[in-house]
Amino acid sequence: MIQILSSPSPVPSEIFALIALLVLSVIVLLILRHYLPLRTTPAFLLVPVFFALWLPATIVLLVPIDLASNASTDDEATRGIWLPPRALLVSWRISYWLTFVLTWFILPILAEYSDAGYREPKDRILYSLRQNAQYYALVFGSAILGLVYFFISYGPSFVSLKGLILALAYCWGLVLAIYLMGHGLVAIPRNLIRNASASHRLRQLQSNAPKLYEKMEDATLILEDLEVQVIELSKRKTGSAREFQDWIEELSDICNIPESRPRSVLPRPDNDSRIIPTVITEKYLADLTRQLTRARHAKSRYLDEWDRLLRDASKAQATLDSTASKRLELGASPPGSSFWEKMIVLTPYTRYLVHYRLVPYFRIFLGCFLALASACIIWSELVKAALPSLSVIRFTVVHHWTGDSGRIGFAGQLVAALWIMYMCAAALHSVTEVKVWRGRALVRRNTAHESAFWYAGQVAKLSVPLSYNFVTFLSREIYEETTFYGILGKYVDLTPLGKWFDYLFPVLVLVPVCATLFGLYGRVKRIFGFGVDIVDEDEESQPSYGTGSWREGRDLIERELNGTSISRRLDEAASRSASGQGRTAPILTVPAARNEGHRTPFATSPSYRDQPIGRPAQSSQSGIADSEPEDDNFFTNLSHRFKNTFDTIDTPKWFQEIGDGFKKPKWMGGNDEAGESSNGAGRTDSDIRRWFGGDGRIRL
């Protein structure tokens, strides 16, 4: 290694760069294997996604090499990896322009192509072009305005057109990158510090369990509705359905529903999604195929998240229970575990020491270290334009100063690569946490094709602006000599507007940082009733009473881990009936509705299909004895006592008979027998909700 670094010839550095590229290729393949089945995934997906991940990784490698090649030290012992100017220019052109084409053209078209739902490739391509037409129209519209500005400033030329394209692409990527990076710079250290304690981690998992379980149940219901629609469609053998009989049979094979599978809910006649049109068209079948594919992947996503939550909760509970015996037994690994998870190296006692003693302190140390790194990045963004000499990142990368300029060695290259990787990791962490982008998610070995294209596009889109934004942290004498500046930077600085935008816009990183640090997302959502679900709610905002609390999540997790949930017993009954094994009686049935409240025995889990999470809990739930003390303060307990007191007071008879002497007009729903419909609880048919139609009940 020392000979490679100190050699005046570029051959050893080129060999080192080739080995690094091979290592990056292996890492990218392992990432693809983690999220996609390589054997069954088509080539039109694997090849673009591979390059969309591999090219940004090469950019992270090229930036330190470019810095050291143009600002290398005179001492051969501390000289880093460097390449000749021609090799750097070719490498940058290949990496940048391939990334540009993948980001703006190939990946968006292929994403809609994979999500089209049509059978023929021609129909898929036409659907993809139609879906991207609005997006490209918006992009070209903004480009025309920028083109007018460039032509007025520098005249019509190829350089102006090229500068416009590169500057607009960089500015749009920088806007998205700064916002996502600002959120990730706060979220990553905070999650590490908060999750250091096993008890806090378990409480957070229990708080998230009811909402996640409800989403999983909703995804299952949506998929079942679409599957029943396909079954009803497959029964049509005449008319327009005969032309698409092969397509309908393929949909039936995808659903693969045995007739004897028990239904979890009763049929709902008011569900419009089950209405089959009289004339079956190609567009209808494409929409049905698209919805069915999305529903299957949505169910797979929430099942994967639910299984991961159960594993994490079981591990956290086992860690807490090991304090008495000083032995930590995690049990057998699940069937889908990796090789490293199945490998048993530690004894129960050493595992207890590692997970209960060492891991929490390591999480706290790493969280504090990354928080310091985040503060350095934010500070460097703030002082980059006004006081560039005070940038902290500048001094960590440039170790050899010669006057106003500096030289970068091998140690500076390593530090620069670590800074870029952390900035990209912060932005990509926010991408995976955002919940507003059409339900896309990364699922282990079962990621949807459209989601894979979309996430790969975000990686390619964010890597270039973040890398160049890091380069601008250094002194102008250093980064203006790089090849990266000649490829992109000089076109960004071609106009005063682009130059000042590049310097001043990163200061707005304070907006997502403050919003995440002080929980402004949750405050806006609570005040206005809507907001961007980009961060998880704090523990203090979790409800302590009613459904959706951590107590309900604790009971739900215990029932799932003990194998006593209704959904698991339904799946077992379905598998037995599908294979023709087991008894045919008794048949497990689930009632369509429950009138006795939310209270459930230990042997069954609460069914969110019958009672949604958002419905308030009944008073019968308060009868469950809880061994842990309440977390609420004096005023909260006092308000609950007042509420319970007023709820248990019977309505006086004189109050019930107030309206008996008056006859309601017909427009208010009154008739001669209106007074006879009053019940014993003091409720009559004079409910004001009947004025607007319905039977007096509110449908959510």
Side-chain angles (χ1 to χ4, degrees):
M1 177 64 70
I2 297 178
Q3 294 179 356
I4 292 178
L5 299 180
S6 60
S7 176
S9 175
V11 176
S13 297
E14 292 175 354
I15 296 175
F16 181 85
L18 290 176
I19 295 175
L21 292 178
L22 291 177
V23 173
L24 291 178
S25 302
V26 174
I27 294 175
V28 171
L29 284 177
L30 293 177
I31 294 175
L32 290 178
R33 183 181 179 274
H34 181 76
Y35 291 108
L36 294 170
L38 297 181
R39 296 181 180 178
T40 59
T41 304
F44 80 89
L45 171 68
L46 283 179
V47 175
V49 171
F50 173 83
F51 281 104
L53 299 179
W54 184 75
L55 290 173
T58 59
I59 291 176
V60 176
L61 179 66
L62 278 176
V63 169
I65 294 177
D66 194 4
L67 291 174
S69 300
N70 295 278
S72 59
T73 60
D74 298 331
D75 187 8
E76 295 182 356
T78 59
R79 191 173 188 177
I81 307 299
W82 64 282
L83 293 176
R86 183 62 183 175
L88 272 177
L89 180 61
V90 173
S91 301
W92 269 115
R93 284 179 176 176
I94 293 175
S95 299
Y96 178 78
W97 286 110
L98 279 180
T99 304
F100 181 86
V101 173
L102 283 170
T103 301
W104 296 100
F105 297 101
I106 297 179
L107 292 178
I109 293 177
L110 289 179
E112 296 297 336
Y113 175 87
S114 62
D115 193 47
Y118 290 91
R119 298 182 68 194
E120 300 298 330
K122 179 182 177 181
D123 297 331
R124 289 188 173 189
I125 292 176
L126 292 178
Y127 173 82
S128 177
L129 294 178
R130 285 195 301 268
Q131 292 298 114
N132 286 282
Q134 183 178 2
Y135 170 71
Y136 288 129
L138 180 62
V139 172
F140 292 150
S142 59
I144 291 175
L145 297 178
L147 186 62
V148 173
Y149 171 74
F150 266 78
F151 283 175
I152 293 176
S153 301
Y154 297 94
S157 63
F158 177 75
V159 177
S160 301
L161 181 61
K162 183 180 178 181
L164 168 69
I165 295 174
L166 296 183
L168 288 180
Y170 171 76
C171 292
W172 167 242
L174 184 65
V175 170
L176 187 63
I178 290 297
Y179 182 80
L180 295 176
M181 185 187 69
H183 166 67
L185 291 177
V186 178
I188 293 178
R190 184 175 62 182
N191 291 341
L192 286 172
I193 296 175
R194 284 184 173 182
N195 295 331
S197 173
S199 59
H200 184 278
R201 189 164 62 252
L202 180 61
R203 178 65 62 83
Q204 191 68 27
L205 292 172
Q206 291 171 349
S207 302
N208 297 334
K211 183 185 298 184
L212 179 58
Y213 190 84
E214 183 187 15
K215 292 180 180 179
M216 183 179 64
E217 294 287 283
D218 292 341
T220 304
L221 285 177
I222 294 174
L223 180 60
E224 288 178 351
D225 292 339
L226 293 173
E227 288 175 345
V228 171
Q229 188 175 354
V230 172
I231 291 177
E232 296 176 357
L233 182 62
S234 63
K235 296 178 182 179
R236 290 196 178 184
K237 305 297 182 182
T238 59
S240 58
R242 296 180 58 185
E243 302 177 5
F244 307 100
Q245 197 63 34
D246 296 338
W247 196 342
I248 296 174
E249 290 178 358
E250 290 181 2
L251 293 178
S252 301
D253 295 338
I254 292 176
C255 295
N256 194 17
I257 307 178
E259 295 295 336
S260 58
R261 192 179 83 170
R263 294 286 295 166
S264 57
V265 292
L266 295 178
R268 291 170 291 178
D270 57 341
N271 194 348
D272 296 333
S273 63
R274 295 189 184 179
I275 298 177
I276 306 299
T278 305
V279 179
I280 305 300
T281 61
E282 186 179 11
K283 184 178 183 301
Y284 166 75
L285 289 178
D287 293 339
L288 181 60
T289 305
R290 191 182 313 113
Q291 294 176 10
L292 184 62
T293 304
R294 291 180 181 177
R296 291 176 67 246
H297 284 289
K299 180 182 178 181
S300 175
R301 167 196 176 182
Y302 290 119
L303 284 176
D304 180 74
E305 292 182 4
W306 179 250
D307 292 340
R308 187 164 61 249
L309 184 142
L310 292 179
R311 290 197 302 268
D312 295 342
S314 176
K315 184 177 179 180
Q317 187 63 52
T319 303
L320 294 176
D321 296 340
S322 64
T323 55
S325 61
K326 309 296 182 182
R327 295 171 60 87
L328 179 57
E329 297 285 353
L330 297 179
S333 301
S337 301
S338 61
F339 172 77
W340 302 105
E341 294 177 352
K342 295 180 180 179
M343 183 181 297
I344 300 177
V345 179
L346 303 176
T347 62
Y349 178 69
T350 55
R351 191 181 298 112
Y352 160 76
L353 293 179
V354 170
H355 289 277
Y356 193 80
R357 299 295 182 184
L358 297 181
V359 172
Y361 293 104
F362 177 75
R363 285 176 179 265
I364 295 176
F365 170 77
L366 184 60
C368 294
F369 179 78
L370 293 181
L372 180 62
S374 300
C376 293
I377 293 175
I378 297 171
W379 172 257
S380 299
E381 294 282 9
L382 297 179
V383 302
K384 181 176 65 174
L387 300 172
S389 59
L390 298 181
S391 174
V392 179
I393 296 180
R394 179 184 180 185
F395 292 101
T396 59
V397 176
V398 183
H399 298 159
H400 307 277
W401 290 93
T402 56
D404 295 334
S405 62
R407 302 299 176 187
I408 299 175
F410 183 70
Q413 286 181 304
L414 289 179
V415 175
L418 292 176
W419 280 118
I420 298 175
M421 285 191 293
Y422 181 59
M423 293 170 65
C424 293
L428 296 178
H429 175 270
S430 302
V431 171
T432 57
E433 293 297 323
V434 168
K435 305 295 191 300
V436 298
W437 282 323
R438 211 164 87 178
R440 301 180 180 96
L442 295 173
V443 183
R444 184 178 181 271
R445 302 305 297 275
N446 198 20
T447 302
H449 293 177
E450 195 270 342
S451 298
F453 281 120
W454 188 84
Y455 278 104
Q458 302 308 311
V459 174
K461 184 185 299 182
L462 298 175
S463 59
V464 174
L466 286 177
S467 299
Y468 184 74
N469 184 47
F470 166 79
V471 170
T472 57
F473 289 156
L474 308 179
S475 61
R476 180 173 289 272
E477 292 78 7
I478 293 178
Y479 74 81
E480 284 187 352
E481 299 296 329
T482 61
T483 308
F484 193 17
Y485 181 82
I487 293 290
L488 176 63
K490 69 177 183 180
Y491 296 102
V492 175
D493 297 341
L494 188 61
T495 61
L497 181 62
K499 183 177 181 180
W500 284 107
F501 180 84
D502 181 38
Y503 270 97
L504 296 180
F505 183 80
V507 177
L508 297 180
V509 71
L510 288 176
V511 175
V513 166
C514 295
T516 309
L517 189 63
F518 300 106
L520 298 183
Y521 297 110
R523 297 176 186 272
V524 171
K525 192 172 183 178
R526 287 192 296 269
I527 294 175
F528 296 100
F530 63 91
V532 180
D533 189 12
I534 205 170
V535 292
D536 297 331
E537 295 182 357
D538 298 336
E539 184 185 1
E540 291 79 3
S541 63
Q542 297 292 339
S544 299
Y545 288 87
T547 56
S549 64
W550 67 268
R551 295 178 179 86
E552 184 179 357
R554 176 192 61 190
D555 298 337
L556 185 58
I557 291 174
E558 289 178 356
R559 291 163 185 150
E560 288 289 329
L561 293 177
N562 293 333
T564 57
S565 65
I566 289 181
S567 58
R568 181 170 299 183
R569 293 166 66 182
L570 283 174
D571 294 337
E572 293 176 357
S575 61
R576 287 197 304 267
S577 60
S579 60
Q581 300 175 358
R583 301 175 299 178
T584 58
I587 299 176
L588 179 64
T589 59
V590 183
R594 296 177 181 173
N595 298 324
E596 61 271 18
H598 290 262
R599 190 172 178 178
T600 58
F602 181 78
T604 60
S605 77
S607 176
Y608 297 95
R609 298 163 179 166
D610 301 329
Q611 295 174 345
I613 288 290
R615 188 180 300 178
Q618 302 293 333
S619 59
S620 60
Q621 188 178 2
S622 60
I624 303 176
D626 199 348
S627 58
E628 300 184 11
E630 296 293 337
D631 300 332
D632 302 316
N633 53 23
F634 169 77
F635 297 101
T636 304
N637 295 330
L638 183 63
S639 63
H640 280 286
R641 291 186 179 182
F642 273 110
K643 181 179 181 300
N644 294 335
T645 302
F646 285 107
D647 288 344
T648 55
I649 295 178
D650 295 332
T651 306
K653 188 175 181 181
W654 62 269
F655 187 78
Q656 301 178 17
E657 298 176 351
I658 287 180
D660 292 346
F662 300 94
K663 183 178 180 180
K664 295 183 297 181
K666 292 184 178 181
W667 64 272
M668 295 180 61
N671 49 36
D672 296 338
E673 291 83 7
E676 300 176 1
S677 61
S678 60
N679 51 24
R683 295 183 180 179
T684 66
D685 289 341
S686 61
D687 197 337
I688 192 173
R689 289 169 292 185
R690 297 182 182 275
W691 296 5
F692 305 95
D695 53 355
R697 292 176 294 179
I698 297 178
R699 292 183 178 180
L700 300 180

